[in-house]
């Protein structure tokens, strides 16, 4: 791919045409918070934590879905961006019931880590405290809607990698929910292969292994990369 040149945080750097800003930024060792992004999956631009300022744009843009272009001038850190990111994390925490002290993923939760890195020690917004249920109908896995941040990693990995599209989202706004097979219980799903990829890519304790207790649910961040590498090498053929 042709090489392009752009300015990020006052430094002239190079990228390749066709890359997103997030790819170029990460290639040059610049850290940006993300929750919906995961290597190997399509980009959604849902969590908005990777927003950056681009010269000429009246508003911040998500780096994961913004193509890198020749001559772009980008800033990844500013007081405005940090305020936006902190607000986004606080709104995620306020929207559902993220009680870390009783969560299977405490200490291993990406939302918890991002919040800690941003210094979020309180939430300025009113907690919605919705009355949400859990789906424990599957033999091996559980779904806790209270912990879900609607990043759709589970939806995308199921569709794009496993190829079955068991998961989807129903409703809109605060009424959005992850559902299986047009809103059946997980056990009744006729498409789920029980592969567990959705569980491993979930950034919070929303999807978990049944039997895990507080702090025991540790996800495998290398799982998806191993699957994709194995497919590329055709390790499961012949």
């Amino acid at each position: 791919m042709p090489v392009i040149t752009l300015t990020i945080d006052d430094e002239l750097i190079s990228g390749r045409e066709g890359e997103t800003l997030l790819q170029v930024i990460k290639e040059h060792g610049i850290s940006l918070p993300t929750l919906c992004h995961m290597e190997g999956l399509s980009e959604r631009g849902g969590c908005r934590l990777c927003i950056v300022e681009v010269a000429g744009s009246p508003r911040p843009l998500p780096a994961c879905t913004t193509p890198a272009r020749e001559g772009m001038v980008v800033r990844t850190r500013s007081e405005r961006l940090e305020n936006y990111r902190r607000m986004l994390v606080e709104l995620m925490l306020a929207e559902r019931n993220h009680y870390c002290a009783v969560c299977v993923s405490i200490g291993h939760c990406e939302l918890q880590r991002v919040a800690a890195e941003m210094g979020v020690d309180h939430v300025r917004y009113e907690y919605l405290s919705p009355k949400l249920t859990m789906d424990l109908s599957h033999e091996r896995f559980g779904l806790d809607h209270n912990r879900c941040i609607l990043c759709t990693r589970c939806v995308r990995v199921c569709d794009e990698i496993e190829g079955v599209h068991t998961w989807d989202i129903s409703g809109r706004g605060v009424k959005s929910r992850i559902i299986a097979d047009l809103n059946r219980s997980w056990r009744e799903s006729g498409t789920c292969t029980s592969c567990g990829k959705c569980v491993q890519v979930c950034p919070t304790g929303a999807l978990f292994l049944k039997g895990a207790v507080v702090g025991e649910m540790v996800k495998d961040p290398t799982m998806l990369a191993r699957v994709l590498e194995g497919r590329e090498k055709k390790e499961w053929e012949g």
Side-chain angles (χ1 to χ4, degrees), residues 69-110:
R69 292 191 296 271
E70 176 71 29
M72 267 184 157
V73 179
V74 180
R75 185 160 295 282
T76 66
R77 302 283 176 190
S78 72
E79 183 176 352
R80 180 172 75 144
L81 290 174
E82 297 306 318
N83 287 337
Y84 277 147
R85 289 170 184 151
R86 183 186 175 102
M87 178 187 70
L88 289 164
V89 170
E90 289 184 42
L91 288 173
M92 285 185 212
L93 293 170
E95 187 173 14
R96 299 207 176 182
N97 306 307
H98 295 281
Y99 301 129
C100 296
V102 293
C103 181
V104 295
S105 288
I106 183 173
H108 313 288
C109 170
E110 293 183 44

Side-chain angles (χ1 to χ4, degrees), residues 47-195:
C47 73
R48 286 298 201 263
L49 292 177
C50 67
I51 51 173
V52 294
E53 293 173 335
V54 177
S57 173
R59 59 184 183 278
L61 301 174
C64 64
T65 57
T66 301
R69 292 191 296 271
E70 176 71 29
M72 267 184 157
V73 179
V74 180
R75 185 160 295 282
T76 66
R77 302 283 176 190
S78 72
E79 183 176 352
R80 180 172 75 144
L81 290 174
E82 297 306 318
N83 287 337
Y84 277 147
R85 289 170 184 151
R86 183 186 175 102
M87 178 187 70
L88 289 164
V89 170
E90 289 184 42
L91 288 173
M92 285 185 212
L93 293 170
E95 187 173 14
R96 299 207 176 182
N97 306 307
H98 295 281
Y99 301 129
C100 296
V102 293
C103 181
V104 295
S105 288
I106 183 173
H108 313 288
C109 170
E110 293 183 44
L111 174 60
Q112 184 185 33
R113 175 180 54 77
V114 168
E117 289 174 352
M118 292 184 183
V120 177
D121 55 9
H122 67 283
V123 172
R124 294 166 290 176
Y125 309 102
E126 183 177 355
Y127 286 94
L128 297 183
S129 303
K131 295 180 180 178
L132 300 177
T133 59
M134 298 174 69
D135 183 346
L136 299 175
S137 63
H138 192 281
E139 181 182 5
R140 296 166 51 203
F141 310 123
L143 166 61
D144 186 351
H145 291 286
N146 294 285
R147 319 291 188 205
C148 180
I149 58 172
L150 298 170
C151 67
T152 74
R153 284 187 188 176
C154 57
V155 176
R156 287 175 285 155
V157 78
C158 187
D159 179 38
E160 300 167 10
I161 307 301
E162 186 63 9
V164 293
H165 202 120
T166 297
W167 297 113
D168 217 323
I169 292 182
S170 72
R172 303 182 65 181
V174 296
K175 294 183 179 179
S176 298
R177 301 284 185 274
I178 294 292
I179 59 169
D181 282 354
L182 300 177
N183 210 14
R184 295 181 178 181
S185 70
W186 202 344
R187 178 176 59 84
E188 294 173 329
S189 167
T191 60
C192 178
T193 62
S194 300
C195 67

Side-chain angles (χ1 to χ4, degrees), residues 27-48:
E27 285 169 3
H28 288 79
I30 301 171
S31 176
L32 278 183
T34 58
L35 284 173
C36 65
H37 166 79
M38 179 165 247
E39 295 292 338
L41 300 180
S42 63
E43 300 292 1
R44 176 170 178 261
C47 73
R48 286 298 201 263

Side-chain angles (χ1 to χ4, degrees), residues 38 196-202 209 217-221 223:
M38 179 165 247
K197 293 184 179 68
C198 56
V199 175
Q200 294 302 325
V201 302
C202 176
L209 291 171
M217 188 64 240
V218 181
K219 309 294 175 67
D220 180 2
M223 177 277 300

